[in-house]
Amino acid sequence: NKLALRSKTSPFQQAPGIMLFLEYDLPLSSRRYFNSDDNNKIEQHFWRPKQLRKQQPKQQPTRKKQTKLQRRKNNLQQNLQQQINDCDNVRSVLDLCKKKQKDQHMKPFHVAACWDKVSRLVWDYKDLKILQERPKLLTPLLNRTIDTCGEMDSRSLSTTAHRMAKISSRTRRKMDSKIWNMLGDRAKEMTTFHPIEISNTVWAFAKIRFQAPELFDHLANEAIARVDSFNSRDISNMLWSYATLGHYPSPKLFDAAAGAIIEKLDEFNSQDISNTLWSYATVGHPSPKLFDAAAGEAINKIDKFNSQDISTTLWSYATAGVESPELFDAASGKVINDIDTFNAQAISNTLWSYATFDHHQSSPNLFDAISDEAIKKMDTFNAQAISNTLWSYAAVGHPSSTELFDIALQQANKNLHAFTTQGLCNTLWSLAMVDHNIESAIPFLNRVLNLHQS
């Protein structure tokens, strides 16, 4: 190169000796191009002085050219997606669906986008009222969902099912079982579900209480294979769905989930913890290691638990028969401080949990605080809440106020038809155990006798 710069000529036009010298200056990757008998080929190589080298334009990566028809198709699909995004009320979304119902460019992901948009807008009271008063407005979207169901991938299907369930729950309107059967059949054909798609799909069917055992068995196998990839919310929602429908496919799913949960338990919030424990307790799957680990995590996060989370968690331990005195002690203070936020079910479940383990001596103020709140809210108690509350006070032998039992019996008279045999027996047993004033119980006893005779 230096010789070439001095002579203002190419090194490849020099004597062979110089060319041999330059051979060793070439990089290893370029030496295979060297040929002392072919100067033209060497001169085309990039190894030339910058002053003499011709700048070659960079080659751009070749792209497959789209035809005009393909470009037009893509533009139409993008425009349709933008139109869906621009809708600001339920009526505009459904009018667009009606207009595009037979449009071939309305693909499954557009259908899923429409359901997603409606599920977000329906939280506005005006839009909610429209769907409640005119449920047939959903017909075009339902029809298009049926038409494209066979083309849906896992993402479109899970999104569609999840949003349909949310809309149905919000409007309190059931959708035709035909579409749920079609979605279930299509989902059984797929084996490419992501964890969130499995969770959303089973949650949708559980939310509307739609039994689909074959689908749940299929998705259970998919979940077992991917259980380590689930995050806290997805795995808790999935287990909640199986427990809600009472579908217990095999111990393998809950065993595999328990191991994954324990490893990432620090990522679980209060709702995830309570829902997970409730699921295991409801299906009756024993998992003492999970319950022990969850107790420690719940104690650390007890301040973030709301009334439903606390009552559900305590109920789960009592139902599963797994004692955790430290957790019950930590929860008692939280219950007393937040007792005004507890509804009837939360009150009765909390009392029943402490009474089941006879765990009341370390927190006697808890039963007093709950008694005062139960008296205030007794008109909202159903039959099961009444019987559980009275049974709890009688079981632990805690001196309760006469006012609580009197008001509870009055409420029981109003809801006597809703009592189960077990509920009636528990209520009568409670009255006998606390030696309650028989005169105030006579109306209730008479109605029980009349019900028994009829």
Side-chain angles (χ1 to χ4, degrees), residues 248-365:
Y248 185 50
S250 69
K252 292 182 180 180
L253 174 61
F254 281 77
D255 285 337
I261 292 168
I262 293 173
E263 292 181 359
K264 56 184 70 174
L265 197 55
D266 58 329
E267 302 174 8
F268 281 58
N269 60 26
S270 58
Q271 184 179 1
D272 297 333
I273 293 173
S274 64
N275 283 349
T276 300
L277 295 175
W278 179 88
S279 302
Y280 278 84
T282 300
V283 300
H285 185 88
S287 184
K289 291 183 179 180
L290 171 62
F291 275 75
D292 290 342
E297 194 67 26
I299 293 172
N300 295 334
K301 299 176 180 178
I302 195 67
D303 292 336
K304 298 180 180 179
F305 278 61
N306 59 29
S307 59
Q308 183 176 355
D309 297 335
I310 293 177
S311 62
T312 301
T313 300
L314 297 177
W315 179 92
S316 301
Y317 277 86
T319 302
V322 180
E323 293 192 46
S324 180
E326 296 82 2
L327 173 61
F328 276 64
D329 288 340
S332 62
K334 179 68 173 177
V335 172
I336 294 173
N337 293 334
D338 298 345
I339 190 60
D340 58 322
T341 64
F342 280 60
N343 59 22
Q345 183 177 1
I347 289 174
S348 63
N349 284 349
T350 301
L351 287 171
W352 181 84
S353 302
Y354 279 89
T356 298
F357 286 139
D358 196 18
H359 190 95
H360 70 286
Q361 296 179 353
S362 60
S363 54
N365 295 332

Side-chain angles (χ1 to χ4, degrees), residues 351 371 374-393 400-416 419 423-424 427-428 430-431 434 436 440-441 443-445 447:
L351 287 171
S371 176
I375 292 173
K376 297 177 184 177
K377 299 177 178 177
M378 186 55 67
D379 59 337
T380 63
F381 278 55
N382 59 22
Q384 184 178 1
I386 294 171
S387 63
N388 284 352
T389 299
L390 297 182
W391 178 88
S392 300
Y393 279 95
S400 58
S401 65
T402 305
E403 184 182 4
L404 173 62
F405 272 72
D406 289 341
I407 294 178
L409 288 175
Q410 294 175 11
Q411 185 68 10
N413 283 329
K414 299 177 183 178
N415 298 278
L416 189 60
F419 275 77
L424 287 174
T427 303
L428 294 174
S430 304
L431 294 174
V434 299
H436 187 69
S440 63
F444 176 74
L445 294 174
R447 293 202 63 184

